[in-house]
Amino acid sequence: MQRYEKTYVDVTAEMRKDGVCMPRQLYWEEDSTKYDITSVREIRGCAAPHVGGVGQRYTCVINGREKHLYLEELGEKLRWFVEKRIN
Amino acid sequence: MRTILHSDLNNFYASVECQRRPELRDKPVAVVGDEEARHGIVLAKNYRAKAFGIKTGMVIWEAKQLCSDLVTVGADFFLYLKYSKKVRAVYEEYTDRIEPFGIDECWLDVTESVKLFGSGEEIANRIRCRVRETLGLTVSVGVSWNKIFAKLGSDMKKPDAVTVIDRENYKELVWPLPAEDLLYVGRATKRKLNNVNIKTIGDIARADPRLLHAKLGKWGNYLHVFANGLDQTAVARLGAEQAVKSVGNSLTNYKDMEDNEEVKILLYLLSESVVSRCRDMGIYKVKTVQLHVRDSTLAGYIRQGQLPLPSLLTSEIAQFALHLFTESYNWHAPVRGLGVAVSGFLGNGTEQLSLMRNERKYDRAERLEKAVEHIRKQYGNTKIQRAVVLKDKKLAGTDIKGEHVIRPENFFGK
């Protein structure tokens, strides 16, 4: 069975005047690379099925591929995380 | 005809814990009041734990005897409240008539939403799917034309299911249920009904209302109405301020209380929260204090009395509640939960000054309490506390006011 790990990530985001927070760039620690988020296809409230937690799920396009980025809003902090596959 | 839903979050606390910690999902899990203490109590459990016979209210060591692999998780009410609010936001997409019943149950009147979203059953299924998708939790939903049957329906199929109780099937689905499944049939009422050979909800429905009235007073008539699906009680409108006639807080302690001193600590905490909420609501003084007691056998009772003089001082209300307690409790068993409620509100300037009380002293005590509250609002609830409360560090860390959930005092909102 594919296993996953909740991985918090650094994100550069834009806070728009309509109140929507738009991620623009994601920093991936493993390869110390900043990835541009070229577009956001969908934003919806969603539970992270594999790693637990709830928040806004952003369907982002990074390097031409769709990736889910979650904005977790439980507690005082807002944090971004992804469901990282573990091999 | 109305369309009412009753939505019930399945094993709420345990489901939240399993949602946020996927590694727990295939283990028997119990959410407990105090993880370390042997006398901590099971507040919720998942289905795997339930299969071992573990029940809410059990002490941890009892539960572990039934299932040695049981995973116990300390309760995090703050987190559960957050989830509860998010679930509510899903309901709000379908109606503005939402009436919470505790942290994990709500009634929804979707009569006006049927034109937009489809039948009651369709709306119930949409809600069920949305809650599962957005929060990873399951709800069971009852659909009916009145609140009573909707609530019974939400109990019939679990988890993640919808049950429709309509005019065609209610006799078949509801009437064979035991009488005690009906809202407000507790142990005492059940006994009285059983004495006259009334065992099922159908028996109540078919009974002569005069007999029920003779046995149970006005409640007998209510039960007859409930059992026949004739209840007309409205679902409260979202945001509509309920006419508040009493303010109360109750708490099942994280451990059983063994003596008056332990009871006193909790009564002070509860009174403090009640007083603070009353002040927020602009209440000046109260006349009546009500005490709810539940012992470790889960038997409970209520005592109430008039304060010697109207007051809104924590110390006076807590002392009076303690007086109600010591007058009425004989320590036949440890105490599990307590509640303090106040009623008989007075607004500012409606009271005659009394010669029996030193008004200046009262005024000073009140100013002191307000100053303490101000500090708490500014810097957090645990920054300044009463010495009596500090005797129990775990309880002292509880923010009763912050964790308060509005539970309608009475189904009719009266």
Side-chain angles (χ1 to χ4, degrees):
Chain A
M1 200 177 67
Q2 178 66 53
R3 285 170 54 233
Y4 295 86
E5 194 176 76
K6 191 171 193 169
T7 308
Y8 290 99
V9 289
D10 288 333
V11 165
T12 309
E14 183 181 296
M15 194 68 195
R16 295 195 325 212
K17 64 184 173 197
D18 62 2
V20 177
C21 186
M22 274 296 173
R24 295 296 180 211
Q25 209 174 45
L26 179 152
Y27 178 70
W28 194 243
E29 267 174 16
E30 264 174 43
D31 55 7
S32 311
T33 309
K34 283 181 179 167
Y35 289 94
D36 285 335
I37 295 165
T38 42
S39 66
V40 172
R41 294 214 165 128
E42 188 195 43
I43 306 172
R44 64 185 303 165
C46 205
H50 305 296
V51 300
V54 296
Q56 293 295 319
R57 188 188 70 188
Y58 287 68
T59 306
C60 302
V61 179
I62 300 173
N63 278 349
R65 286 166 64 186
E66 274 193 7
K67 292 276 176 202
H68 289 319
L69 184 58
Y70 291 85
L71 182 56
E72 190 178 53
E73 44 185 298
L74 286 172
E76 294 297 302
K77 289 181 193 161
L78 282 173
R79 290 206 281 179
W80 297 93
F81 73 85
V82 296
E83 295 191 298
K84 181 181 143 191
R85 283 166 184 258
I86 321 176
N87 297 317
Chain B
M1 197 166 68
R2 298 185 299 162
T3 306
I4 313 278
L5 312 185
H6 181 265
S7 180
D8 188 357
L9 284 152
N10 306 125
N11 308 335
F12 180 49
Y13 297 172
S15 299
V16 170
E17 294 299 342
C18 290
Q19 196 285 324
R20 69 165 175 164
R21 293 166 61 182
E23 69 276 12
L24 296 179
R25 284 178 199 168
D26 44 8
K27 299 193 174 92
V29 176
V31 175
V32 297
D34 184 0
E35 242 179 312
E36 290 94 47
R38 199 166 161 275
H39 45 235
I41 287 154
V42 174
L43 302 173
K45 69 273 168 201
N46 67 358
Y47 283 104
R48 277 178 194 266
K50 205 178 260 182
F52 286 93
I54 290 165
K55 294 193 172 70
T56 301
M58 257 181 192
V59 185
I60 295 177
W61 63 263
E62 282 180 296
K64 291 230 166 162
Q65 274 182 344
L66 294 171
C67 169
S68 53
D69 296 330
L70 184 71
V71 181
T72 55
V73 183
D76 182 350
F77 292 105
F78 189 65
L79 178 76
Y80 308 147
L81 262 184
K82 294 233 166 193
Y83 269 81
S84 174
K85 281 181 189 153
K86 284 169 182 283
V87 173
R88 220 184 133 115
V90 173
Y91 300 153
E92 282 167 15
E93 291 173 22
Y94 299 95
T95 179
D96 63 345
R97 296 192 80 125
I98 303 168
E99 181 182 337
F101 196 62
I103 193 170
D104 53 353
E105 295 179 32
C106 275
W107 277 288
L108 291 82
D109 186 331
V110 296
T111 312
E112 299 299 323
S113 323
V114 166
K115 285 165 246 156
L116 285 170
F117 300 110
S119 69
E121 187 176 5
E122 283 169 311
I123 296 174
N125 274 313
R126 280 172 183 245
I127 287 175
R128 187 175 61 76
C129 294
R130 291 273 295 126
V131 171
R132 198 179 49 198
E133 183 195 32
T134 56
L135 294 154
L137 302 176
T138 60
V139 289
S140 46
V141 189
V143 185
S144 194
W145 73 91
N146 66 78
K147 283 165 80 177
I148 301 293
F149 286 3
K151 181 159 166 60
L152 286 169
S154 70
D155 243 354
M156 283 180 181
K157 262 183 267 162
K158 289 178 177 182
D160 203 17
V162 172
T163 305
V164 180
I165 296 177
D166 56 26
R167 302 238 182 230
E168 275 72 55
N169 67 9
Y170 78 96
K171 288 184 184 171
E172 199 180 307
L173 290 177
V174 172
W175 283 14
L177 296 172
E180 61 267 29
D181 280 8
L182 201 59
L183 202 61
Y184 291 105
V185 179
R187 268 191 286 188
T189 308
K190 182 197 167 193
R191 205 173 48 238
K192 286 181 196 162
L193 290 170
N194 288 172
N195 284 344
V196 286
N197 208 26
I198 293 176
K199 301 220 164 73
T200 65
I201 294 179
D203 292 341
I204 297 175
R206 286 181 296 251
D208 184 342
R210 282 170 301 183
L211 169 76
L212 293 171
H213 186 86
K215 287 278 157 201
L216 304 166
K218 67 175 182 185
W219 282 104
N221 298 76
Y222 289 146
L223 293 183
H224 190 257
V225 165
F226 289 174
N228 281 294
L230 299 172
D231 172 55
Q232 294 284 340
T233 318
V235 174
R237 190 178 283 275
L238 175 70
E241 282 299 318
Q242 282 173 301
V244 179
K245 295 214 169 148
S246 85
V247 172
N249 266 140
S250 62
L251 193 81
T252 300
N253 206 352
Y254 71 94
K255 60 167 193 178
D256 285 346
M257 291 163 275
E258 308 274 358
D259 57 38
N260 287 346
E261 202 50 38
E262 289 181 336
V263 164
K264 186 176 166 187
I265 296 174
L266 185 52
L267 288 177
Y268 263 90
L269 272 170
L270 290 166
S271 304
E272 217 160 35
S273 154
V274 166
V275 165
S276 170
R277 283 174 51 218
C278 285
R279 290 209 180 106
D280 288 349
M281 289 159 70
I283 293 160
Y284 174 61
K285 280 179 185 173
V286 304
K287 291 190 285 193
T288 310
V289 175
Q290 200 179 56
L291 170 79
H292 299 238
V293 181
R294 200 150 58 102
D295 68 26
S296 59
T297 68
L298 300 183
Y301 68 89
I302 297 173
R303 282 287 173 284
Q304 77 170 39
Q306 299 271 333
L307 286 161
L309 288 169
S311 164
L312 196 58
L313 283 184
T314 300
S315 50
E316 292 188 359
I317 287 167
Q319 279 301 333
F320 192 73
L322 185 64
H323 159 77
L324 290 174
F325 178 81
T326 49
E327 291 282 292
S328 62
Y329 202 68
N330 63 6
W331 285 108
H332 59 278
V335 175
R336 181 150 302 172
L338 290 166
V340 173
V342 295
S343 56
F345 302 145
L346 298 175
N348 203 348
T350 54
E351 183 208 17
Q352 274 196 338
L353 294 184
S354 166
L355 296 172
M356 283 157 65
R357 172 154 63 198
N358 182 338
E359 290 298 333
R360 183 184 268 177
K361 212 170 153 193
Y362 181 92
D363 201 43
R364 279 172 57 188
E366 189 181 35
R367 287 212 312 268
L368 178 63
E369 285 195 3
K370 283 183 177 167
V372 167
E373 247 168 69
H374 187 71
I375 291 171
R376 288 194 177 146
K377 280 185 182 148
Q378 200 93 359
Y379 302 105
N381 203 41
T382 50
K383 286 291 175 286
I384 178 162
Q385 285 186 312
R386 284 172 188 273
V388 61
V389 170
L390 288 174
K391 286 184 194 160
D392 187 329
K393 290 239 162 57
K394 178 126 185 142
L395 257 185
T398 316
D399 177 5
I400 293 185
K401 190 185 176 198
E403 285 165 2
H404 169 74
V405 179
I406 295 164
R407 188 176 273 278
E409 188 198 6
N410 161 330
F411 178 71
F412 301 98
K414 285 173 194 160

